[in-house]
């Protein structure tokens, strides 16, 4: 109820600002954007474009999450690996996304760039959080696991994974937004076929500000939807793990 | 026979054991009884191989063959009562869960999580989990903390029926009264009381 109230408030602010600006070019109102969104959604190209961007971002998420988790395990298991890999991950974290986009564009095809970029943005977040979760494992339970002759796999399942779970959930939900932002930014710079980023870039040529807002709205809605979906999936997995 | 010979161990400047020697009986329940903070738990951890002595030696316990009950329950917070037991048992012995639950008087609580149990129930569960793990020797640190006298008696009877020796640390005289052997300690540094 409170969320709906906030939504109505911001829509009213948006409408008032659009009426004050009184220019569809500079700030189209929410009704016009909705109208354009409905018009776009009536075409097959809209759904193909949205699906392809969704798949690219999801692929980037999966690669970034998997690599980040593996790197976290490796760097927590070996001081040497930590000494070698930690600076590299810090460099990835600090490098401007635009530099990466252009660099990766030199190395690979334009369709793969958003995947690589989304993965590169997700990786440090997942790596940092999972490593923190591993290091926060209860030392008393780890000692018990050693005293009780548990295998590494069993120690991981019973002691380390429960410690990592909340950090992992936080990393995945945080990095979902990053994956969308960076993936769509990469699309806007390298223009792959059937891509929301390419559509956003194209709005610039025809001064279609309402379309820019409509595509942006699609990205926001998909990002929020996926965030909820992932949180629900992890929640279900946690409940399943407790029984 | 488990032999502790001329063992010394310090934490920083504090000598917990200084040239300490002791021979433990090979059968029955032996209680190491002494005041809180005298070094009993450290001795138990040395016997379990969880601490290394600065000098001296411990013989009679094969490495990694002791079943240890820690001073804290150390239950897995996200695992049910039954899972706490199956987690420490090989697959072929998992049919014994009902027997261990009965000994802990936790029958009917199979699906409860530790946070849903009282302190005494958690202690009983931690104790039977150690027994379910099995080993050449049982090293139990304050196993009856928070457990009422009638249950203590029943659990002590069960401990006396185990095939392996039980070394039990307690600061309570009532627990010592139930044991086969009692070794009185003082410290730090840990010393034998005559």
């Amino acid at each position: 109820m409170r969320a709906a109230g906030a939504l109505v408030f911001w829509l009213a602010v948006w409408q008032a600002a659009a009426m004050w600006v009184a220019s569809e070019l500079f700030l189209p109102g929410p009704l016009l954007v909705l109208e354009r969104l409905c018009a776009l959604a009536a075409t097959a190209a809209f759904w193909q474009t949205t699906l392809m961007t969704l798949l690219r971002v999801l692929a980037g998420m999966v690669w970034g999450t998997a690599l980040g988790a593996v790197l976290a395990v490796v760097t927590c298991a070996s001081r040497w690996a930590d000494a070698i890999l930690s600076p590299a991950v810090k460099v990835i974290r600090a490098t401007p996304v635009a530099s990466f986009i252009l660099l990766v564009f030199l190395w690979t095809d334009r369709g793969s760039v958003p995947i690589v970029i989304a993965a590169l943005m997700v990786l440090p977040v997942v790596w940092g959080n999972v490593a923190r979760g591993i290091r926060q494992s209860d030392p008393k339970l780890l000692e018990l696991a050693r005293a009780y002759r548990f295998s590494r796999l069993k120690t991981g399942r019973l002691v380390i994974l429960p410690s990592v779970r909340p950090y992992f959930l936080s990393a995945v939900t945080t990095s979902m937004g990053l994956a969308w932002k960076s993936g769509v930014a990469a699309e806007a710079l390298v223009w792959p076929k059937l891509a929301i980023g390419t559509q956003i870039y194209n709005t610039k040529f025809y001064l279609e500000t309402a379309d820019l807002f409509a595509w942006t709205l699609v990205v926001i809605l998909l990002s929020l939807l996926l965030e909820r979906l992932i949180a629900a999936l992890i929640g279900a997995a946690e409940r399943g793990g407790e029984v | 026979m488990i032999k502790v010979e001329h063992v010394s161990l310090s934490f920083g400047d504090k000598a917990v054991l200084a040239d300490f020697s002791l021979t433990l009986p090979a059968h029955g329940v032996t209680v190491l009884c002494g005041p809180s903070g005298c070094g009993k738990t450290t001795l138990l951890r040395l016997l379990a191989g969880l601490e290394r002595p600065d000098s001296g030696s411990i013989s009679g316990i094969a490495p990694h063959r002791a079943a240890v009950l820690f001073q804290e329950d150390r239950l897995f917070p996200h695992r049910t009562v039954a899972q706490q037991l199956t987690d420490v048992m090989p697959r072929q012995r998992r049919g014994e869960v009902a027997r261990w639950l009965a000994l802990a008087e936790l029958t009917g609580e199979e699906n409860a999580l530790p946070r849903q149990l009282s302190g005494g129930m958690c202690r009983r569960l931690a104790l039977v989990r150690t027994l379910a793990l099995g080993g050449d020797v049982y090293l139990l640190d304050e196993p009856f903390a928070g457990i009422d006298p009638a249950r203590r008696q029943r659990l002590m009877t069960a401990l006396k029926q185990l095939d392996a020796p039980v070394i039990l640390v307690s600061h309570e005289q009532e627990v010592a009264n139930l044991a086969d052997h009692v070794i009185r300690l003082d410290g730090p540094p840990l010393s034998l009381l005559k």
Side-chain angles (χ1 to χ4, degrees):
Chain A
M1 194 67 187
R2 201 176 292 175
L7 182 67
V8 169
F9 170 77
W10 285 111
L11 283 173
V13 170
W14 181 6
Q15 180 63 41
M19 287 166 73
W20 184 67
V21 172
S23 165
E24 287 177 7
L25 178 64
F26 288 109
L27 186 61
L31 285 175
L32 177 62
V33 171
L34 190 64
E35 194 182 297
R36 282 304 303 148
L37 184 60
C38 291
L40 288 169
T43 64
F46 170 85
W47 296 103
Q48 288 166 346
T49 302
T50 304
L51 180 66
M52 286 307 292
T53 294
L54 177 67
L55 290 177
R56 286 189 197 101
V57 170
L58 276 180
M61 270 295 292
V62 169
W63 275 108
T65 303
L67 283 172
V70 168
L71 279 180
V73 171
V74 169
T75 52
C76 287
S78 157
R79 282 185 189 176
W80 279 102
D82 189 33
I84 291 166
L85 293 171
S86 288
V89 176
K90 281 172 188 157
V91 167
I92 293 173
R93 202 192 290 264
T95 304
V97 68
S99 308
F100 268 133
I101 293 169
L102 297 175
L103 197 59
V104 173
F105 192 25
L106 293 176
W107 297 337
T108 183
D109 64 288
R110 53 181 83 224
S112 303
V113 175
I115 299 171
V116 176
I117 294 304
L120 281 173
M121 295 303 110
V122 168
L123 185 150
V125 179
V126 172
W127 172 76
N129 272 36
V130 171
R132 201 168 303 130
I134 291 172
R135 291 187 179 119
Q136 292 290 323
S137 299
D138 186 342
K140 289 186 173 174
L141 288 183
L142 288 172
E143 184 182 57
L144 177 132
R146 278 195 301 277
Y148 283 21
R149 311 178 283 277
F150 284 1
S151 65
R152 280 189 179 189
L153 199 67
K154 198 174 199 177
T155 303
R157 185 169 62 85
L158 294 177
V159 183
I160 298 171
L161 266 186
S163 169
V164 166
R165 217 172 262 153
Y167 291 92
F168 180 75
L169 173 62
S170 164
V172 170
T173 48
T174 306
S175 57
M176 174 56 74
L178 277 176
W180 274 104
K181 281 180 196 170
S182 57
V184 172
E187 287 179 345
L189 278 179
V190 302
W191 327 309
K193 281 182 185 168
L194 297 175
I196 292 178
T198 308
Q199 295 300 325
I200 286 174
Y201 183 80
N202 287 341
T203 60
K204 180 178 90 169
F205 291 116
Y206 307 107
L207 303 174
E208 292 166 330
T209 317
D211 282 23
L212 168 65
F213 274 67
W215 283 114
T216 306
L217 200 61
V218 171
V219 172
I220 292 168
L221 290 175
L222 280 174
S223 177
L224 290 175
L225 198 71
L226 274 182
E227 197 178 302
R228 287 274 175 94
L229 187 69
I230 287 172
L233 281 174
I234 293 178
E238 276 182 335
R239 283 192 296 280
E242 281 182 1
V243 178
Chain B
M1 285 284 192
I2 299 167
K3 284 191 171 183
V4 178
E5 293 175 288
H6 305 290
V7 166
S8 295
L9 178 66
S10 298
F11 295 119
D13 296 337
K14 188 182 175 189
V16 184
L17 280 84
D19 197 30
F20 180 80
S21 296
L22 173 70
T23 301
L24 290 157
H27 305 285
V29 176
T30 303
V31 171
L32 304 175
C33 194
S36 296
C38 73
K40 307 182 299 290
T41 294
T42 305
L43 174 60
L44 207 73
R45 289 177 61 81
L46 281 161
L47 292 171
L50 298 169
E51 303 284 352
R52 282 170 181 260
D54 296 334
S55 60
S57 64
I58 294 167
S59 57
I61 301 181
H64 311 299
R65 286 302 307 155
V68 185
L69 172 69
F70 292 90
Q71 203 167 35
E72 317 84 12
D73 300 326
R74 301 197 188 186
L75 299 171
F76 300 113
H78 59 289
R79 303 292 282 170
T80 64
V81 167
Q83 286 170 336
Q84 307 277 346
L85 296 173
T86 54
D87 285 341
V88 301
M89 295 161 75
R91 199 171 291 274
Q92 63 271 22
R93 280 183 44 220
R94 289 188 180 169
E96 298 173 13
V97 167
R99 182 166 69 88
W100 292 117
L101 287 176
L103 176 61
E105 299 180 45
L106 289 170
T107 305
E109 302 288 348
E110 288 84 349
N111 296 319
L113 292 167
R115 66 171 180 268
Q116 296 167 315
L117 303 177
S118 69
M121 290 163 108
C122 283
R123 197 62 187 152
R124 277 158 22 220
L125 175 59
L127 174 58
V128 295
R129 182 177 66 172
T130 307
L131 303 185
L133 172 73
D136 293 346
V137 57
Y138 294 90
L139 303 172
L140 313 178
D141 198 348
E142 302 282 5
F144 303 131
I147 298 178
D148 60 79
R151 286 197 173 102
R152 282 182 184 193
Q153 183 86 51
R154 286 197 287 273
L155 288 167
M156 183 61 99
T157 304
L159 294 182
K160 287 181 178 178
Q161 288 166 357
L162 293 170
D163 297 334
V166 178
I167 316 292
L168 187 159
V169 156
S170 179
H171 66 279
E172 294 178 84
Q173 183 57 46
E174 302 90 87
V175 175
N177 292 341
L178 300 170
D180 297 320
H181 317 280
V182 180
I183 295 172
R184 297 191 185 283
L185 301 162
D186 202 2
L190 196 66
S191 58
L192 288 172
L193 280 181
K194 300 294 175 192

